[in-house]
Amino acid sequence: MAKQERSPTDRNASGLDQVKEQFSAYLAAQGKRMMESATGKLTDLAQGLENTAGGGGGDLLDVGKRVLGGENPVKAFVSEKAGTMKDKVVDSVKSAFGVAAESPEASR
């Protein structure tokens, strides 16, 4: 029996089909990776908002004021969180070295 050869157009179609399949799989994987990344970032943001609201809501109120003043919401949130973290670090260092934190009433 003679071996049947494919025409050049059949080989190209088969190769093109393989490229299409591989490209589709690549796009699907990239789409999934992007969705997972976005989901992670939204989760982090939601947890940050929850932590801010759990601390009395003062930070969240300050963020709202800054946003209403025309500041970028992300920048306002990050600035408020950085200020809060700085205060916590300063308090931790003071307590580690035995320096009493000044209360507002003590400074009067």
Side-chain angles (χ1 to χ4, degrees):
M1 205 181 216
K3 189 175 180 181
Q4 194 176 20
E5 291 187 31
R6 291 193 221 173
S7 70
T9 56
D10 287 343
R11 274 187 247 137
N12 289 340
S14 177
L16 185 59
D17 287 341
Q18 289 178 356
V19 169
K20 286 180 183 177
E21 287 177 28
Q22 292 297 317
F23 189 63
S24 293
Y26 171 78
L27 289 178
Q30 290 300 315
K32 181 179 177 183
R33 184 184 62 81
M34 286 175 29
M35 288 298 294
E36 288 171 351
S37 176
T39 300
K41 289 179 181 182
L42 287 173
T43 300
D44 291 345
L45 180 61
Q47 287 175 344
L49 289 173
E50 180 180 314
N51 291 342
T52 300
D59 290 344
L60 191 56
L61 182 60
D62 291 339
V63 170
K65 287 177 185 176
R66 292 173 82 157
V67 170
L68 288 175
E71 193 170 335
N72 178 313
V74 174
K75 184 179 176 184
F77 179 76
V78 169
S79 295
E80 288 299 324
K81 289 303 278 183
T84 301
M85 290 176 63
K86 179 195 72 117
D87 292 342
K88 288 180 181 179
V89 169
V90 169
D91 290 343
S92 296
V93 169
K94 283 181 178 179
S95 67
F97 287 103
V99 178
E102 291 183 20
S103 67
E105 294 149 7
S107 61
R108 289 184 193 178

